[in-house]
Amino acid sequence: MTKSNLTRRGLIKTGAATGAALATPTIFTGAAWAQEQGFTNAPTGDTVTLGFNVPQTGPYADEGADELRAFELAVEHLNGDGSGGMLQTFSSNALEGSGILGKRVEYVTGDTQTKSDAARASARSMIEKDGAVMISGGSSSGVAVAVQGLCQEAGVIFMAGLTHSNDTTGKDRKANGFRHFFNAYQSAAALGPVLESLYGTDRKAYHLTADYTWGWTTQESMQATTEAMGWETVNNVLTPLAATDFSSYITPVLQSGADVLFLNHYGGNMVNSLTNAVQFGLKEAQANGKDFQIIVPLYSELMARGAGENIAGIPGSQNWDWKLENQLGDRYKGTNAFVQSFGEKYGFPPSQAAHTCYAQTMLYADAVQRAGSFNPCAVVEALEDFEFDGLGNGPTLYRAADHQCFKDVVVVRGKENPENEFDLVEIVEATPTEQVTYDPDHPMFAGGDLGECNPGA
């Protein structure tokens, strides 16, 4: 963090009297933070409470259930229970399995219902009634943007869960919010060269797009990338998040002249829209003298399981995959430790939603431990431009300019002959960080301002 940023946030005190020599700058950490500034829900006893806000109902409930499993596992590991998971591989050695700053970690949960208003109400209750000092979770970017804004107002840290819209760390970025998960621009940057290699440069694309911030920015990103390599966009049709039957949206695709269908859908929406597309024969169809193709920009193992054999051969992208370390080596260390501890507790491998929520919990705890304080502004200081490794994604940077993590992106495809229900996705490549990195003022992320860290009370 630069000196100017520290001064902007009040983290540096200097002499103020006219004509007085400037004092040596002091960066407040540890006990100094507690003495200088109060903050919302400062822990006073021997425990600290975290709030985990996940979709327990609604179209993303499967993701939410796995997020909650990961949160529970992370708390166990922070408190010194279980195998320790990625505490053993994390490049930072600040955490010792003794809670956070010696306080045992407790947690409360809420149901976002995959609705922004419900998510805000749930998060507000955890902050105001339960004393949560950090909020995490969610599988919808609409929810993430809403809860991030609330946490900024309340003076607590928001460690976003599964949120893929460019807006989360773009126009809606906040100083108190941090995103480990990748975004729509990064999916498109990783997928573009793969799609060109698979399908060439002469294609006509039709988009079905979830009608909210994630769908909009995913479609925008994919259209920009594919048109840059010569593809034509035939149409983009918005679909309601609450939809369960997409038959009426699939029929026009067949008469559109398109030979590629982008399903900018996630969770249960993707399972249902892909099922309808297959039922209408799109996977076997021909158009413009070519085999018709279906693309799902944002993938997950949970979605693949729901879609079953329909997912075979369909490309997409992921933030992480449980097979990374076994297939691509030690660069992705931490993956096996997490998979083993998750599998021992729950009996199956974790999803990318589980992984990002576990990582975010560890990253928050580590930042508090290194800063020596739960003060949100101390946490912000500790996380900004923090470089780390050993959490499963390879070397990673938490960029100060927008609070977005930068790391490799995984390009995947549905497996043609899976060995079991947990082996439905094959890794095509891990796209290097450099290929998916962009300037903080990139047009797709413009209009946002982190503002100042808010410690609250």
Side-chain angles (χ1 to χ4, degrees):
M1 182 184 293
T2 65
K3 180 178 175 181
S4 62
N5 282 341
L6 291 169
T7 304
R8 172 171 63 86
R9 294 187 182 163
L11 310 188
I12 289 181
K13 297 283 187 175
T14 57
T18 303
L22 291 178
T24 301
T26 301
I27 299 176
F28 292 125
T29 57
W33 273 105
Q35 294 167 6
E36 291 292 331
Q37 301 179 23
F39 57 95
T40 299
N41 292 339
T44 56
D46 58 2
T47 63
V48 60
T49 301
L50 308 181
F52 300 140
N53 206 20
V54 305
Q56 299 180 49
T57 56
Y60 297 166
D62 286 347
E63 310 286 335
D66 225 33
E67 288 182 345
L68 196 53
R69 294 181 190 107
F71 283 133
E72 292 172 351
L73 186 63
V75 169
E76 284 186 13
H77 292 167
L78 288 173
N79 287 332
D81 302 324
S83 65
M86 288 196 286
L87 285 187
Q88 304 169 83
T89 59
F90 191 10
S91 58
S92 174
N93 297 314
L95 296 169
E96 300 175 344
S98 56
I100 308 176
L101 294 183
K103 297 181 183 293
R104 186 167 180 83
V105 181
E106 297 183 344
Y107 67 92
V108 292
T109 66
D111 181 8
T112 70
Q113 303 175 37
T114 320
K115 298 176 181 177
S116 297
D117 289 346
R120 279 180 66 96
S122 178
R124 184 182 298 279
S125 177
M126 289 189 280
I127 294 168
E128 295 180 352
K129 296 181 180 179
D130 301 309
V133 73
M134 181 273 274
I135 301 294
S136 186
S139 294
S140 156
S141 290
V143 162
V145 167
V147 175
Q148 181 168 257
L150 172 70
C151 289
Q152 181 70 33
E153 297 164 8
V156 301
I157 291 292
F158 177 61
M159 301 296 285
L162 196 159
T163 168
H164 188 246
S165 170
N166 293 337
D167 293 344
T168 307
T169 46
K171 72 179 184 64
D172 295 308
R173 70 186 76 162
K174 301 294 181 186
N176 284 40
F178 290 84
R179 169 162 61 180
H180 172 265
F181 207 71
F182 71 148
N183 58 48
Y185 173 92
Q186 293 173 318
S187 281
L191 277 170
V194 174
L195 296 180
E196 183 174 349
S197 175
L198 289 172
Y199 308 133
T201 58
D202 181 22
R203 284 284 183 169
K204 295 183 178 181
Y206 194 110
H207 291 254
L208 292 181
T209 301
D211 190 12
Y212 74 108
T213 178
W214 169 71
W216 305 332
T217 63
T218 297
Q219 192 279 329
E220 177 189 30
S221 299
M222 293 308 309
Q223 178 173 335
T225 293
T226 54
E227 288 186 352
M229 64 193 199
W231 292 22
E232 177 187 343
T233 303
V234 173
N235 202 358
N236 175 42
V237 177
L238 300 178
T239 62
L241 186 58
T244 56
D245 185 347
F246 294 86
S247 300
S248 62
Y249 296 99
I250 299 296
T251 304
V253 178
L254 297 167
Q255 285 80 45
S256 69
D259 46 48
V260 173
L261 172 63
F262 279 92
L263 293 177
N264 302 308
H265 292 154
Y266 195 72
N269 286 164
M270 191 288 287
V271 172
N272 291 331
S273 63
L274 177 59
T275 299
N276 290 152
V278 172
Q279 288 171 341
F280 277 74
L282 287 187
K283 283 190 76 174
E284 289 75 36
Q286 288 246 323
N288 305 320
K290 306 178 182 73
D291 291 338
F292 198 97
Q293 303 296 336
I294 301 173
I295 299 166
V296 176
L298 180 59
Y299 236 92
S300 84
E301 290 271 5
L302 291 174
M303 287 159 47
R305 203 177 310 161
E309 62 183 11
N310 292 335
I311 204 72
I314 293 178
S317 65
Q318 293 184 175
N319 188 64
W320 173 86
D321 187 276
W322 67 270
K323 303 179 291 296
L324 265 177
E325 189 171 357
N326 283 342
Q327 295 188 11
L328 300 185
D330 188 58
R331 178 176 175 82
Y332 303 103
K333 62 188 175 187
T335 291
N336 286 349
F338 178 53
V339 171
Q340 180 177 348
S341 59
F342 191 97
E344 288 174 350
K345 184 173 177 65
Y346 300 113
F348 49 84
S351 66
Q352 64 177 352
H355 172 260
T356 204
C357 287
Y358 181 98
Q360 284 285 70
T361 307
M362 293 300 169
L363 286 164
Y364 170 79
D366 174 77
V368 172
Q369 197 78 19
R370 288 185 291 110
S373 173
F374 288 96
N375 188 309
C377 295
V379 175
V380 169
E381 179 185 349
L383 282 173
E384 286 189 333
D385 282 336
F386 178 49
E387 296 179 325
F388 60 92
D389 200 353
L391 293 184
N393 294 107
T396 304
L397 167 69
Y398 238 134
R399 189 163 70 178
D402 49 11
H403 296 183
Q404 173 68 52
C405 268
F406 287 84
K407 54 196 185 309
D408 298 351
V409 169
V410 187
V411 177
V412 298
R413 182 166 50 192
K415 212 167 188 178
E416 294 288 353
N417 298 296
E419 296 177 8
N420 55 63
E421 63 176 313
F422 305 111
D423 184 41
L424 298 173
V425 173
E426 62 181 0
I427 298 172
V428 175
E429 70 168 37
T431 305
T433 308
E434 295 75 18
Q435 186 176 318
V436 299
T437 298
Y438 52 88
D439 292 334
D441 60 353
H442 186 283
M444 288 189 185
F445 298 84
D449 181 9
L450 282 175
E452 296 185 2
C453 166
N454 179 21

